[in-house]
Amino acid sequence: MSHIHIDISGLSFEYEKGHPVLDSISVSFHEHDSVGIIGANAAGKSTFLKLLVGLEMPPQGSIRIEEIPVEKNTLSKIREKIGYVFQDSDTQLFMTTVQDDVAFAPRNYGLPEDEVARRVARALDLVHIPHLAGKPIYKLSGGEKKLASIATILSMTPDIILMDEPSAALDPKNRRSLIHVLNEFDHLRIITSHDLDFIWDTCSRVVLIDAGRIIADGIPDVILRDETLLTAHGLELPLSLSER
Amino acid sequence: MSRIGNAARNIGKLDELARRDTWLNRIHPLPKLLVTVLYLVLVVSFSPRQLTGVLGMAIYPFILFEFGDLSFTSALYRMRIILPVVCLVGVLNPIFDREPALTIFGVTVTGGVLTMLSLMVKGVLTVLATYLLIATTTVESVCGALRMLHIPGILVTEFLLICRYVSVLLSEADRMWQAYSMRAPGQRGVAAGAWGSMIGRLLLRSMDRAKALYQSMCLRGFRENSTLLPVKGLESKDLFYFASFTTTLILLRIFPVLELIGRLFV
């Protein structure tokens, strides 16, 4: 059995009293897992990811990242281990050029400039965009922005990558190149999406959430082929699996 | 592209200018910041009637535009909104102060005209000096220089975030304007009845995006005392820049160069 990276027990959360977004969720994620969190709109997928990095606090229940509990005083330690890619790349990218944005985290962690440069080059290589290093952010296309967003967290050399709806607003070519990039990673990856074809192409495990509860947890070949299960929870078979 | 979109793009272009690799951009941000502040203080310190003294201070922006590989016409174009406003300061002075102050080639110039011109020149010069700083120094470097001056981290962070949020606010405003104009074809501007709700929505959306942006920064190790950009140590060229400009500016303040040159011909 591989090492447990994230251990969640009895996790509940609500924005408004009496309206739980997540309800008693218990689940573990292991090293090298590639997990797709699927569910219809407002199922609680994004909130789930935000709780893992302490963007929403405080939850009921416990979340442990590599044995460290997610609490206010442990957040900086936790966030060094996790790279979080926002759904909207414009939120992720705020510096002037791609290079500066990718260097933002290593510089904040006080690394020497030669190490920062090494990490920036490596991160850009991993997502195949070294040619965009000096390009201003506002001149990037949607697909380039997404890859640059991923590079900004890879320069932190995280153990875990969280991605919120990564395929949203990408054209087929950029979507394909993102799938290719993600499949090259060895990190524990947790991806939320209702793009089930994307999950099919990138994940080895699927967790179905509805109304804040885990409905199913298993391999894509079982869950994504179960039309009855998907339909009952506001989803449809991936296009690549459905009969035309 | 809408005017708001253009404004956002102009901010991006200014950032690009600041990241060029010219001798002026390579000067350490601390001496550039200190020289700019000194320049602003000295320009403002001239009395309202010392027009020749203020004009002499134009040497500083002239040198930087001339040797700093910056286009003066582009600067004027970028500041086409702020410069007329600056020039409006003191425009009523000629009405209130009609006392003759001096005579040039037989033409009497009143105190009001003199103070109006002096205020206009002061305004233009201070705006130009600020433009020169931001066109040759990135916001992060300015923040780094402020931290070197031991300005509290929280204030520097506020300054940095305001600079970041200006573009957020502009891009949100641009999106809303585009959505509005698509449903109000042929209409010039925003209808009076829609202003309230548009501004309210703009505020809420900007706050949401600003919050997400701040979260994104925090997730990548940002703290109020973060080293935003590696501010290198001062080199001899930086010290030379500081010493030469500081001396020149102080001399220009003490000795009104244009007046002294003028006296040579009288």
Side-chain angles (χ1 to χ4, degrees), chain B residues 49 90-99 110-113 115-116:
Chain B
R49 293 194 177 205
V91 79
L92 294 177
N93 285 17
I95 299 169
F96 296 115
D97 182 2
R98 297 182 182 185
E99 201 178 303
T110 65
V113 171
T115 55
M116 178 191 73

Side-chain angles (χ1 to χ4, degrees), chain A residues 7 9 16 23 33 40 65 71 84 110 118 126 138 153 180 185 205 211 223:
Chain A
D7 191 29
S9 167
E16 285 175 55
D23 191 7
D33 265 359
I65 312 280
E71 291 163 359
Y84 185 104
R118 203 185 60 76
L126 283 171
Y138 72 95
I153 58 127
H180 176 65
F185 292 164
R205 179 179 166 194
I223 294 180

Side-chain angles (χ1 to χ4, degrees), chain B residues 132-172:
Chain B
L132 283 165
L133 177 69
I134 57 174
T136 57
T137 321
T138 61
V139 176
E140 293 80 15
S141 302
V142 172
C143 288
L146 290 172
R147 290 294 290 138
M148 282 179 87
L149 293 171
H150 299 285
I151 304 291
I154 187 77
L155 294 181
V156 177
T157 307
E158 283 293 321
F159 174 67
L160 177 79
L161 293 182
I162 286 169
C163 294
R164 293 270 161 259
Y165 294 160
V166 165
S167 46
V168 170
L169 185 74
L170 286 174
S171 66
E172 280 303 328

Side-chain angles (χ1 to χ4, degrees), chain B residues 72-238:
Chain B
F72 184 64
T73 44
S74 300
L76 288 182
Y77 178 75
R78 289 207 173 95
M79 292 183 294
R80 63 195 180 282
I81 296 172
I82 187 79
L83 282 179
V85 177
V86 165
C87 289
L88 278 179
V89 178
V91 79
L92 294 177
N93 285 17
I95 299 169
F96 296 115
D97 182 2
R98 297 182 182 185
E99 201 178 303
L102 55 105
T103 308
I104 305 170
F105 302 118
V107 179
T108 305
V109 179
T110 65
V113 171
L114 202 60
T115 55
M116 178 191 73
L117 290 174
S118 171
L119 284 172
M120 280 178 177
V121 175
K122 277 185 187 182
V124 171
L125 291 181
T126 49
V127 169
L128 283 177
T130 312
Y131 172 86
L132 283 165
L133 177 69
I134 57 174
T136 57
T137 321
T138 61
V139 176
E140 293 80 15
S141 302
V142 172
C143 288
L146 290 172
R147 290 294 290 138
M148 282 179 87
L149 293 171
H150 299 285
I151 304 291
I154 187 77
L155 294 181
V156 177
T157 307
E158 283 293 321
F159 174 67
L160 177 79
L161 293 182
I162 286 169
C163 294
R164 293 270 161 259
Y165 294 160
V166 165
S167 46
V168 170
L169 185 74
L170 286 174
S171 66
E172 280 303 328
D174 189 38
R175 282 185 207 187
M176 285 182 70
W177 163 245
Q178 282 176 359
Y180 179 88
S181 59
M182 293 302 286
R183 286 182 287 154
Q187 187 177 308
R188 281 176 68 87
V190 177
W195 268 105
S197 58
M198 273 192 86
I199 288 174
R201 286 290 303 158
L202 177 63
L203 185 67
L204 290 173
R205 285 171 61 159
S206 302
M207 279 168 64
D208 276 350
R209 273 201 65 190
K211 183 183 161 194
L213 203 146
Y214 182 67
Q215 287 178 336
S216 167
M217 291 169 80
C218 288
L219 287 178
R220 287 196 270 154
F222 180 77
R223 302 283 174 276
E224 67 180 56
N225 289 322
S226 291
T227 313
L228 302 161
L229 261 193
V231 180
K232 292 177 280 187
L234 290 162
E235 295 173 22
S236 51
K237 70 174 187 328
D238 306 317

Side-chain angles (χ1 to χ4, degrees), chain A residues 50 53 55-56 75-77 79-80 82 84 86 88 90-97 100-110 113 136 138-139 152-153 156, chain B residues 8-16 19 138 140 160 164 167-168 172 175 208-209 211-223 225-230:
Chain A
K50 285 182 178 176
V53 283
L55 285 181
E56 297 294 351
L75 283 184
S76 57
K77 232 179 205 178
R79 288 172 179 178
E80 278 183 47
I82 299 182
Y84 185 104
F86 282 76
D88 179 6
D90 285 325
T91 298
Q92 187 94 25
L93 305 168
F94 44 77
M95 300 294 280
T96 313
T97 63
D100 282 339
D101 226 308
V102 178
F104 182 83
R107 280 184 180 144
N108 273 316
Y109 288 120
E113 260 316 284
Y138 72 95
K139 285 187 178 170
T152 63
I153 58 127
M156 297 163 60
Chain B
R9 218 172 165 76
N10 267 332
I11 290 179
K13 281 187 178 160
L14 262 182
D15 252 344
E16 270 182 66
R19 277 167 210 280
T138 61
E140 293 80 15
L160 177 79
R164 293 270 161 259
S167 46
V168 170
E172 280 303 328
R175 282 185 207 187
D208 276 350
R209 273 201 65 190
K211 183 183 161 194
L213 203 146
Y214 182 67
Q215 287 178 336
S216 167
M217 291 169 80
C218 288
L219 287 178
R220 287 196 270 154
F222 180 77
R223 302 283 174 276
N225 289 322
S226 291
T227 313
L228 302 161
L229 261 193

Side-chain angles (χ1 to χ4, degrees), chain A residues 55-148:
Chain A
L55 285 181
E56 297 294 351
M57 294 278 272
Q60 285 177 359
S62 88
I63 305 173
R64 298 180 82 82
I65 312 280
E66 292 179 2
E67 303 302 325
I68 305 168
V70 177
E71 291 163 359
K72 259 196 173 150
N73 55 351
T74 59
L75 283 184
S76 57
K77 232 179 205 178
I78 297 279
R79 288 172 179 178
E80 278 183 47
K81 296 175 183 298
I82 299 182
Y84 185 104
V85 182
F86 282 76
Q87 179 177 351
D88 179 6
S89 300
D90 285 325
T91 298
Q92 187 94 25
L93 305 168
F94 44 77
M95 300 294 280
T96 313
T97 63
V98 172
Q99 191 168 333
D100 282 339
D101 226 308
V102 178
F104 182 83
R107 280 184 180 144
N108 273 316
Y109 288 120
L111 297 177
E113 260 316 284
D114 52 346
E115 174 63 10
V116 172
R118 203 185 60 76
R119 285 198 183 197
V120 169
R122 169 107 182 107
L124 293 175
D125 271 345
L126 283 171
V127 293
H128 312 297
I129 54 166
H131 56 287
L132 297 181
K135 201 166 178 182
I137 298 293
Y138 72 95
K139 285 187 178 170
L140 299 180
S141 69
E144 289 172 338
K145 277 186 186 170
K146 186 55 76 181
L147 293 175

